[in-house]
Amino acid sequence: MVNRSHKLSEQGIQRLSGELLRSGQSKSALASQSGVARDTVRKFFAGQPVSTESFIKICKVLKVDWQEVTTLAKALDTEVKDNGHIALAVQEVREKVKPLILERCGTMQVLDMSKPVPLKDIYVDVGIYESISGRRRIGIDELLEEYKNSERLTTRKSEPQVYGLEAAKKNLKQVVLGRPGCGKTMYLKFLSIQCINGNFKDKLVPIFVTLRQFAEVRSQLDLLEFICQMMSSYEVTNTQIYELLKHGSCLILLDGLDEVREQDYHRVINEIQFFLDRFTTNQFIITCRIAALKYTFDNFAELEIANFDNLQIKSFVKQWFKMRTDTEKADNFLDKLRSNRNKLINEIAANPLTLTLLCLLFEYSGAFPVQSKFELYKQIMDAVLIRWDTSRNIERDEIYKNFGLTRKRDLLSYIAYETFNQDRIFFEHRLVENYISNYIENLPDAESDPEDLETSSEKILKSIEAQHGILVEQARGIYSFSHIAFQEYFTARHIVYTPDPDEYKKIAKYFVSHITDERWQEVFIIAVGLAKSGAYLLRLIKEEVDKLVAKDEKIQERLRWVKEQSDSIDLSQISKGKNKRVAVRAFFLDIDLEISIERELGYELDLKYTCIFSFAIILTRILGRKKFDIAYTIKLAQETLHKSEVFNHYRDLDPPIILTISRVYAIKSLLEYDNIDSDKREKFEKLREEAPDLNANEHTLTEWWKLYGEGWNNRLKCVLMSHNCHYDKDWNFSKNQEALLKKYYCANLLLAECLKNSYLAPNERKEIENTMLLPWTEIEQQTKEKSGII
């Protein structure tokens, strides 16, 4: 007969009835029977009046052996009791280790932080790809298309992401991979905190292990011993830990497999694998840099942490400055980040490490060092190549032992120059390995055997990727620099750090021939900042710019007119000291030009002059040159802008916004005069209505500019040029001349920005500025006078 003496708990009854249903008929056949079956089983094993015959009948319906049921019931009851015991143990241990988890995982401190910051104050949930970028089997054309449709090289818009907590719930075992500084440790710490606070896996005990610390313990404990030792000071016994692990009640977080030294690596892998085999029912998450993963764990899902998107960047920045109780600075940071002038900063902000560096820099100075871009690059390169590891006392093994920091930079510069010069954003691993071979075969003690050289090149490539993340594998066998900005920086570095003087001159002359190539513009700006002989490089650039229009007589005629107009202006009323005649020439060159330019040359040369002249010319052209000559309106512009608290308060805004504010003031002054015909007045009144509120804060002005600024300025230009409002005459340039003039204008823009980013002696800077935007005959004349020919 059925042994019903074993009375089950409610949980045991639920488990048993579930087992009976799973081992019985198909789900469709059981659907109508399940409720009756569960109720009968529940009553029978709860000791309620259900006959043995009824129970056996139910078993027959379910097609299970009733004689095995009591054995199963007893086993389940034992398990339920065990589980009840383990559940109590889990809660007890969780309470004991909570201080440990909060202490080890509750804060972060990286780079130049003066003290740790609470993780909860800065953490942004990471995005995670469920495939690894370097294992995708796609070609260079597909990667180029992917890059064209995204903002950054490392963005995979075609692939969906899941967020961190969601990803952690999906797989019992996973390896989370990522590039240097992407937030792997922060992610594991976040999971640990969420777990101990009951927001994630609240029935598990989180155990956070820094694998580098485990590997470097002198006594070489096994992983279980290390965990027991780590938790012993919190009154958790070895028996408790073992029981929890045996019953799968732990969340094991193993951080930084890539940080384990080469001599410890195989031992650590063996320890992890042994631990996995022994306690396989626990949840495991291991982190490692992508290129440093040399071992595949069976039955582990491999995921990849994505770079921050724009929303995550915004969230991180706002949290960072909120923590500093400076939310206004967060808005300023984001405004400047989104500026087109900050291409480099926008790129590197997607990486949490370099975003942290930017926040630190901005916190101290309230601005990015945009005027000295190469200084910003240098700080970023130092952070990526040196400080990120040294700040955490990590010593990585040098596969390329003869490579110090300078040689690493030289090698990266060589690879960047060769690939950039060939217009290669993405390149196959064989190509970059050839460049590495070419470089290292000339080093002392380099391998002479071709096979050894090839092997060394492969290892060096992987080491650069694993240690620094500057070169990354974007698809299987296809690499790129992690940011276009890094490729541009190292290309510029290769040009200016060429040691042989003759070779340097050769490369420099080839380099300046790209003056009108938009792809090279950032390289020019960085190169003049890095160059020890900046004057030489700038003179070469200046010569190349002047040659662009030297043979076009009509454009030369325009330049002669520009000089005449500029020379007629008395600059003493604007500035007592530094008289930038070149800024005045830029202003007159820009008048009436019907070419589409995002930036104006004047404010690159001297913003103050350009604001004054921009104000003055609006009044002069509309009110009439006879009554309101340029000298009078310049004086009026200077007085108005000097008195304006708003205009002077916002001098840290981007130049286009400041220039727009000066034009709004000009329109405001213009509308105070009566002698404007009704048609023009209506258009200017509409422009005034559409203009930003001059009393708005910096953030509001910046937002207005991003949405409406360029369109507003274009409409203003159209109004000024309509109704025969040309300043002097209609030049009637041909389409080819307009295109050439635009190239010349943009090349001078680039030269002006190069001047701002270079260190030059005052006389050298003055020499270049004094001959900018002059007709070719005038430049030749000044050159002859300087050389003593005349």
Side-chain angles (χ1 to χ4, degrees):
M1 294 299 291
V2 179
N3 179 6
R4 60 185 294 173
S5 63
H6 194 81
K7 185 176 178 180
L8 285 179
S9 64
E10 181 64 24
Q11 189 177 357
I13 291 168
Q14 292 175 359
R15 289 284 303 278
L16 177 60
S17 58
E19 290 293 330
L20 291 175
L21 291 173
R22 277 194 293 276
S23 56
Q25 297 174 330
S26 68
K27 287 184 179 179
S28 59
L30 282 171
S32 61
Q33 303 283 348
S34 59
V36 176
R38 283 179 182 274
D39 188 54
T40 302
V41 170
R42 183 188 306 276
K43 289 177 180 178
F44 184 79
F45 282 102
Q48 295 180 15
V50 175
S51 67
T52 301
E53 289 77 14
S54 297
F55 177 73
I56 293 173
K57 184 178 179 181
I58 285 295
C59 289
K60 285 181 179 179
V61 170
L62 297 175
K63 293 187 178 181
V64 294
D65 186 349
W66 62 267
Q67 292 177 324
E68 295 178 2
V69 170
T70 51
T71 304
L72 176 61
K74 186 175 182 179
L76 282 172
D77 191 56
T78 302
E79 183 181 337
V80 166
K81 287 180 179 177
D82 285 347
N83 286 345
H85 169 71
I86 290 299
L88 289 173
V90 165
Q91 293 309 312
E92 180 185 349
V93 174
R94 280 173 60 89
E95 286 302 316
K96 287 181 177 180
V97 302
K98 188 169 184 176
L100 170 67
I101 295 299
L102 295 177
E103 180 187 344
R104 296 197 66 206
C105 302
T107 60
M108 287 294 296
Q109 184 173 15
V110 297
L111 297 176
D112 298 328
M113 287 183 181
S114 57
K115 60 182 180 180
V117 296
L119 184 71
K120 63 181 177 61
D121 289 347
I122 61 169
Y123 183 76
V124 175
D125 203 6
V126 295
I128 292 182
Y129 293 119
E130 296 184 280
S131 65
I132 308 303
S133 56
R135 295 175 192 165
R136 297 182 294 167
R137 295 187 178 275
I138 60 176
I140 289 177
D141 289 344
E142 292 168 281
L143 285 168
L144 284 168
E145 188 65 25
E146 191 176 77
Y147 172 56
K148 187 172 71 175
N149 295 324
S150 66
E151 295 177 288
R152 303 176 179 94
L153 272 177
T154 50
T155 301
R156 291 191 260 161
K157 279 200 167 181
S158 59
E159 293 188 39
Q161 298 178 21
V162 294
Y163 283 102
L165 276 177
E166 183 184 347
K169 292 173 184 176
K170 280 192 170 186
N171 304 102
L172 189 64
K173 297 179 178 66
Q174 51 192 252
V175 176
V176 178
L177 302 171
R179 299 191 171 99
C182 72
K184 300 181 292 297
T185 297
M186 193 179 290
Y187 171 54
L188 278 202
K189 286 188 172 186
F190 170 74
L191 293 180
S192 189
I193 293 291
Q194 291 299 302
C195 179
I196 204 64
N197 285 336
N199 302 320
F200 166 70
K201 301 290 182 180
D202 60 348
K203 300 295 190 293
L204 300 181
V205 173
I207 299 174
F208 185 94
V209 176
T210 301
L211 289 173
R212 172 173 54 87
Q213 292 176 352
F214 163 61
E216 294 174 4
V217 171
R218 290 182 182 178
S219 53
Q220 292 197 354
L221 305 172
D222 65 30
L223 190 51
L224 178 58
E225 290 170 334
F226 180 79
I227 290 170
C228 288
Q229 186 181 84
M230 180 174 66
M231 300 174 77
S232 62
S233 58
Y234 290 82
E235 298 182 357
V236 181
T237 68
N238 294 0
T239 302
Q240 283 178 310
I241 295 170
Y242 177 79
E243 287 297 313
L244 293 179
L245 288 168
K246 188 178 74 172
H247 285 85
S249 299
C250 295
L251 171 63
I252 312 297
L253 304 166
L254 305 177
D255 184 46
L257 184 58
D258 57 285
E259 296 175 3
V260 175
R261 296 176 303 183
E262 189 69 31
Q263 61 263 37
D264 298 320
Y265 187 80
H266 292 294
R267 179 177 65 84
V268 170
I269 287 291
N270 288 336
E271 285 293 339
I272 294 173
Q273 190 60 63
F274 179 71
F275 192 88
L276 279 166
D277 294 340
R278 193 176 179 189
F279 303 113
T280 189
T281 55
N282 294 275
Q283 178 161 4
F284 290 84
I285 303 179
I286 304 170
T287 64
C288 184
R289 291 186 180 183
I290 294 177
L293 186 64
K294 307 169 191 174
Y295 184 84
T296 301
F297 295 96
D298 291 339
N299 301 315
F300 269 67
E302 292 186 355
L303 312 174
E304 180 180 341
I305 292 183
N307 272 336
F308 278 174
D309 60 23
N310 290 333
L311 287 176
Q312 288 167 314
I313 292 170
K314 181 178 180 180
S315 178
F316 182 92
V317 170
K318 283 190 171 293
Q319 287 175 211
W320 177 279
F321 288 105
K322 182 181 179 182
M323 181 175 59
R324 264 73 173 168
T325 64
D326 197 345
T327 54
E328 185 178 346
K329 192 168 279 188
D331 290 335
N332 292 340
F333 181 106
L334 293 167
D335 288 339
K336 293 183 185 302
L337 184 67
R338 290 189 290 260
S339 168
N340 290 331
R341 297 165 63 81
N342 290 327
K343 174 188 169 186
L344 160 68
I345 295 169
N346 203 298
E347 269 197 42
I348 64 172
N351 179 281
L353 171 65
T354 44
L355 179 57
T356 301
L357 175 62
L358 291 174
C359 287
L360 286 165
L361 290 171
F362 202 87
E363 184 181 343
Y364 296 144
S365 63
F368 302 122
V370 179
Q371 298 292 324
S372 304
K373 287 188 178 182
F374 70 95
E375 288 291 347
L376 179 59
Y377 277 104
K378 186 178 183 302
Q379 291 197 49
I380 293 163
M381 288 301 115
D382 284 348
V384 172
L385 289 171
I386 312 170
R387 290 158 60 201
W388 181 223
D389 281 346
T390 55
S391 68
R392 297 175 297 155
N393 296 316
I394 295 173
E395 293 182 15
R396 298 190 185 272
D397 298 284
E398 291 291 349
I399 295 175
Y400 41 121
K401 292 181 181 178
N402 291 329
F403 273 51
L405 183 60
T406 300
R407 281 185 177 165
K408 286 181 185 179
R409 287 172 172 157
D410 288 346
L411 173 59
L412 288 165
S413 299
Y414 173 57
I415 295 169
Y417 179 79
E418 292 296 331
T419 53
F420 191 87
N421 195 34
Q422 297 172 43
D423 197 10
R424 293 178 186 267
I425 296 175
F426 303 100
F427 32 85
E428 293 181 352
H429 71 100
R430 294 190 183 279
L431 179 67
V432 71
E433 284 168 9
N434 284 340
Y435 292 143
I436 294 171
S437 295
N438 293 342
Y439 182 83
I440 64 176
E441 66 183 354
N442 295 316
L443 296 177
D445 305 320
E447 292 92 345
S448 56
D449 183 86
E451 290 187 7
D452 291 340
L453 197 60
E454 182 179 347
T455 301
S456 294
S457 299
E458 292 172 2
K459 288 181 178 178
I460 289 170
L461 175 57
K462 279 296 178 185
S463 185
I464 292 171
E465 182 184 9
Q467 292 185 26
H468 313 305
I470 294 174
L471 289 175
V472 295
E473 193 172 15
Q474 299 281 14
R476 194 174 291 272
I478 301 175
Y479 281 79
S480 78
F481 282 82
S482 54
H483 304 288
I484 291 291
F486 287 179
Q487 190 178 18
E488 292 168 339
Y489 168 78
F490 282 112
T491 297
R493 188 182 181 280
H494 180 78
I495 292 166
V496 300
Y497 284 1
T498 301
D500 180 79
D502 293 332
E503 184 66 19
Y504 170 65
K505 289 179 180 179
K506 181 180 175 182
I507 290 178
K509 286 181 179 178
Y510 170 74
F511 167 55
V512 299
S513 69
H514 293 91
I515 189 67
T516 59
D517 188 339
E518 189 175 348
R519 194 172 65 88
W520 284 77
Q521 288 201 359
E522 199 70 16
V523 180
F524 274 88
I525 295 165
I526 301 164
V528 295
L530 290 173
K532 294 178 182 177
S533 54
Y536 172 74
L537 198 54
L538 280 161
R539 286 192 194 99
L540 285 182
I541 295 170
K542 170 71 169 52
E543 288 174 14
E544 198 70 23
V545 172
D546 292 332
K547 288 176 184 176
L548 289 173
V549 294
K551 295 182 180 179
D552 190 294
E553 184 51 38
K554 195 165 188 180
I555 293 176
Q556 289 298 309
E557 182 186 350
R558 172 65 182 240
L559 292 177
R560 285 191 289 272
W561 176 85
V562 164
K563 182 179 183 301
E564 289 168 6
Q565 297 296 320
S566 169
D567 289 348
S568 69
I569 303 296
D570 179 10
L571 298 185
S572 62
Q573 60 180 303
I574 300 177
S575 175
K576 298 295 182 183
K578 186 176 64 173
N579 293 328
K580 282 214 173 181
R581 185 74 62 180
V582 64
V584 186
R585 291 199 293 270
F587 182 79
F588 281 106
L589 175 64
D590 190 55
I591 287 177
D592 298 339
L593 283 187
E594 296 186 37
I595 55 177
S596 176
I597 303 291
E598 289 183 5
R599 293 180 294 152
E600 293 184 34
L601 181 54
Y603 67 65
E604 292 293 348
L605 290 164
D606 192 290
L607 183 58
K608 176 185 174 183
Y609 273 54
T610 303
C611 288
I612 290 171
F613 273 86
S614 192
F615 184 116
I617 206 67
I618 290 173
L619 270 65
T620 304
R621 292 173 69 170
I622 300 302
L623 298 175
R625 291 178 64 186
K626 291 183 179 179
K627 187 174 181 180
F628 293 85
D629 64 28
I630 194 73
Y632 172 79
T633 51
I634 285 173
K635 184 179 180 182
L636 179 61
Q638 190 172 17
E639 289 174 354
T640 303
L641 296 178
H642 179 71
K643 291 176 183 178
S644 166
E645 290 183 10
V646 176
F647 183 79
N648 291 300
H649 181 68
Y650 292 134
R651 285 191 174 181
D652 288 337
L653 287 169
D654 280 348
I657 307 175
I658 299 174
L659 181 56
T660 299
I661 291 173
S662 73
R663 287 169 176 167
V664 175
Y665 273 108
I667 292 173
K668 188 178 176 183
S669 295
L670 177 69
L671 292 172
E672 293 174 359
Y673 292 92
D674 296 327
N675 56 330
I676 309 174
D677 67 55
S678 58
D679 185 33
K680 290 178 189 174
R681 178 175 288 278
E682 183 180 344
K683 289 178 180 179
F684 280 108
E685 284 176 345
K686 188 174 181 182
L687 282 166
R688 178 65 190 92
E689 289 171 6
E690 294 173 350
D693 178 4
L694 293 175
N695 293 311
N697 59 33
E698 290 186 43
H699 177 67
T700 302
L701 288 169
T702 302
E703 287 297 313
W704 179 90
W705 168 258
K706 284 187 298 187
L707 293 171
Y708 312 111
E710 190 175 343
W712 187 89
N713 278 282
N714 285 337
R715 287 194 296 280
L716 172 60
K717 194 168 186 176
C718 288
V719 172
L720 291 174
M721 295 178 66
S722 64
H723 306 288
N724 298 315
C725 279
H726 291 287
Y727 184 82
D728 190 76
K729 65 177 181 177
D730 188 351
W731 291 86
N732 290 318
F733 290 116
S734 68
K735 292 292 183 184
N736 288 339
Q737 285 171 326
E738 284 181 3
L740 182 58
L741 196 53
K742 183 173 182 177
K743 281 186 177 181
Y744 176 73
Y745 192 96
C746 290
N748 274 291
L749 268 172
L750 180 55
L751 175 57
E753 193 162 359
C754 287
L755 281 166
K756 287 200 301 186
N757 280 274
S758 61
Y759 289 121
L760 289 175
N763 62 313
E764 292 174 330
R765 187 180 301 277
K766 187 175 180 180
E767 176 192 329
I768 292 171
E769 288 182 345
N770 282 350
T771 57
M772 285 179 69
L773 307 178
L774 288 177
W776 183 253
T777 52
E778 180 71 20
I779 294 169
E780 285 186 320
Q781 177 79 6
Q782 289 193 26
T783 303
K784 289 177 181 178
E785 288 175 358
K786 183 183 175 183
S787 60
I789 296 175
I790 297 178

